[in-house]
């Protein structure tokens, strides 16, 4: 019996409200989760789904561009057997950039392939580390608002906070000290500078972050400043997480050549499963630690990020609790955290609820 083929590719835009805006970097902010549900339908009726998260200030993608690139790729995908991964990847990689569109497409194809075989992604992708330590992205806001939000997510079971910094250094340090005083050593803290420091200011800033008890800092310098980043990392002031500098496997090779980081942050939202697994394995082979980010994904994207987080190469807390910043979700039930951990097996029965999708879809 021949394998089913790709029959249709579509995107469904949706908008989910947040409890409050998420601000990061020098000027970026997110007031709602305006994402795209990517669906791959096979010739036997099987449907695979994933979530695309357009981020104009990071990847240059919008909802319209995601829908456009999916329409562009559909003609090349239709008729291909779902089991022919090489052919499917050739089409997916026939365009450059468009990271979240191609990442979501990869995950939807994986989902369709598993379902066509009568199993799920939990059967094909679940790794050995089924309990994962989640982190929460604490965006830039007035200090009291940041502290209140931190209290809320810690009460919800999260024990690691990724603190967005970079707009005002002294204020950032004040917030970090308040968080440390509030939660003590039971809550892990690290910072995400989103490329906002300079080669001149970074050494002192990293020293201060280390003294404040942070585990590491994500992208302290602009990604374009390759030599300066290599020099800062060589100083060993605070472990560095690579994110914006490592969008693709090719980017990762460059960063490994220049030895610019300690921890690789792979995001399923831009890398999908194919590149995500490859990048984690490559980084681990080079002696680097691994984590998984979710690019402020809603429930479906969080499930997919959680699956990648179970891989043996993932050693650090992963960004799996953005759902706590949503007022509602597309899933059939909640994602729950207990005492600083997420049991990934507990997500097996969650799925996109068609009624919720009808409520929040944009077209």
């Amino acid at each position: 019996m021949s394998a089913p083929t790709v029959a249709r590719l579509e995107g469904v835009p949706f908008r989910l409200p947040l409890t409050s805006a998420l601000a990061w970097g020098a000027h970026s902010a997110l007031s709602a989760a305006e994402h795209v549900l990517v669906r791959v339908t096979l010739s036997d009726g099987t449907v695979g789904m994933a979530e695309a998260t357009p981020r104009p200030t990071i990847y240059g993608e919008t909802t319209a561009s995601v829908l456009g690139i999916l329409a562009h790729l559909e003609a090349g995908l239709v008729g291909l057997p779902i089991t022919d991964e090489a052919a499917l990847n050739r089409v997916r990689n026939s365009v450059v950039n468009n990271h979240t569109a191609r990442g979501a497409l990869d995950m939807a194809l994986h989902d369709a392939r598993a379902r066509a075989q009568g199993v799920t992604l939990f059967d094909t992708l679940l790794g050995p580390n089924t309990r994962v330590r989640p982190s929460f992205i604490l965006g830039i806001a007035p200090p009291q608002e940041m502290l209140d939000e931190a209290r809320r997510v810690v009460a919800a079971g999260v024990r690691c906070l990724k603190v967005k910094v970079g707009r005002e250094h002294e204020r950032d340090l004040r917030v970090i000290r308040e968080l440390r005083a509030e939660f003590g050593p039971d809550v892990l803290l690290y910072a995400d500078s989103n490329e906002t420091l300079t080669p001149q200011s970074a050494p002192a800033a990293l020293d201060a972050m280390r003294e404040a008890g942070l585990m590491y800092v994500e992208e302290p310098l602009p990604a374009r400043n390759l030599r300066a980043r290599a020099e800062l990392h060589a100083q060993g002031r605070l472990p560095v997480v690579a994110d914006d500098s490592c969008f693709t496997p090719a980017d990762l090779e460059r960063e490994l050549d220049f030895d610019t980081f300690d921890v690789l942050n792979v995001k399923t939202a831009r890398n999908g499963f194919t590149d995500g697994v490859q990048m984690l394995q490559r980084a681990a082979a080079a002696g680097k630690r691994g984590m998984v980010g979710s690019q402020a994904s809603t429930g479906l994207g969080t499930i997919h990020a959680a699956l990648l987080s179970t891989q043996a190469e993932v050693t650090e807390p992963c960004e799996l609790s953005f759902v706590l910043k949503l007022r509602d979700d597309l899933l059939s039930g909640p994602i729950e955290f207990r005492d600083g951990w997420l049991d990934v097996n507990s997500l097996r029965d969650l799925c996109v609820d068609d009624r919720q999708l009808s409520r929040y879809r944009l077209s």
Side-chain angles (χ1 to χ4, degrees):
M1 183 176 178
S2 59
T5 60
V6 176
R8 186 181 180 192
L9 173 62
E10 61 182 324
V12 180
F14 64 93
R15 183 182 191 273
L16 291 173
L18 305 184
T19 58
S20 60
L22 174 68
W24 72 92
H27 50 72
S28 297
L30 185 72
S31 58
E34 294 191 3
H35 298 166
V36 178
L37 184 69
V38 177
R39 292 195 292 214
V40 172
T41 302
L42 304 184
S43 56
D44 65 353
T46 299
V47 177
M49 292 189 287
E51 177 183 5
T53 60
R55 293 290 177 268
T57 63
I58 303 175
Y59 308 119
E61 291 176 283
T62 64
T63 296
S65 75
V66 168
L67 295 175
I69 207 66
L70 293 177
H72 173 78
L73 293 173
E74 183 182 31
L77 292 170
V78 169
L80 292 179
I82 191 59
T83 53
D84 192 344
E85 295 184 48
L88 294 168
N89 281 327
R90 278 196 297 272
V91 175
R92 187 175 63 88
N93 293 324
S94 66
V95 294
V96 298
N97 303 321
N98 294 284
H99 298 290
T100 71
R102 292 192 300 115
L105 174 57
D106 178 71
M107 292 186 286
L109 289 167
H110 272 78
D111 188 29
R113 184 178 306 114
R115 293 180 185 279
Q117 296 168 352
V119 296
T120 73
L121 290 174
F122 285 84
D123 301 303
T124 60
L125 281 172
L126 190 69
N129 302 321
T130 57
R131 291 179 75 243
V132 180
R133 187 182 293 276
S135 63
F136 181 82
I137 303 170
L138 194 62
I140 298 173
Q144 188 58 50
E145 291 183 21
M146 295 179 71
L147 188 58
D148 288 344
E149 184 165 52
R151 288 173 178 144
R152 180 175 67 83
V153 300
V154 169
V158 175
R159 300 291 183 270
C160 181
L161 301 173
K162 170 178 169 174
V163 186
K164 294 288 190 177
V165 301
R167 295 185 182 179
E168 186 182 339
H169 181 59
E170 288 305 318
R171 173 199 163 284
D172 294 337
L173 289 176
R174 198 161 57 246
V175 169
I176 289 166
R177 293 188 186 107
E178 289 176 0
L179 290 169
R180 177 59 69 213
E182 174 80 15
F183 301 114
D186 293 336
V187 173
L188 305 175
L189 299 174
Y190 65 104
D192 184 0
S193 287
N194 286 115
E195 308 182 55
T196 54
L197 297 176
T198 67
Q200 294 73 35
S201 66
L206 266 61
D207 286 347
M209 291 179 190
R210 183 188 67 249
E211 292 167 7
L214 298 192
M215 296 190 296
Y216 23 68
V217 59
E218 189 170 303
E219 298 294 8
L221 296 177
R224 65 179 179 275
N225 291 356
L226 178 57
R227 294 190 183 280
R229 291 190 293 107
E231 291 170 3
L232 180 65
H233 178 249
Q235 294 171 16
R237 296 175 182 273
L238 185 66
V240 172
V241 178
D243 178 8
D244 302 345
S245 59
C246 279
F247 284 175
T248 68
D251 292 335
L252 174 58
E253 291 301 326
R254 178 194 62 234
E255 299 303 309
L256 290 174
D257 283 345
F258 281 81
D259 194 19
T260 60
F261 71 95
D262 302 279
V263 182
L264 175 65
N265 187 353
V266 169
K267 293 186 173 176
T268 46
R270 68 163 174 251
N271 299 122
F273 295 130
T274 301
D275 289 352
V277 169
Q278 176 189 336
M279 292 173 72
L280 285 169
Q281 291 175 345
R282 178 69 182 91
K288 306 298 183 181
R289 291 177 277 167
M291 66 166 54
V292 174
S294 71
Q295 202 68 70
S297 297
T298 67
L300 181 60
T302 298
I303 292 173
H304 291 163
L307 281 167
L308 190 64
S309 301
T310 65
Q311 305 307 304
E313 296 80 12
V314 176
T315 58
E316 309 304 305
C318 298
E319 300 166 18
L320 303 175
S321 62
F322 187 77
V323 290
L324 295 176
K325 203 170 179 66
L326 298 174
R327 292 190 183 275
D328 205 353
D329 201 356
L330 300 185
L331 292 183
S332 55
I335 294 175
E336 297 179 341
F337 309 93
R338 299 186 186 280
D339 299 321
W341 296 93
L342 172 63
D343 177 5
V344 179
N345 269 312
S346 71
L347 309 179
R348 278 182 177 269
D349 295 330
L350 296 179
C351 61
V352 172
D353 186 322
D354 289 338
R355 293 169 299 179
Q356 289 292 88
L357 180 59
S358 296
R359 179 181 180 185
Y360 291 109
R361 67 180 298 162
L362 294 176
S363 63

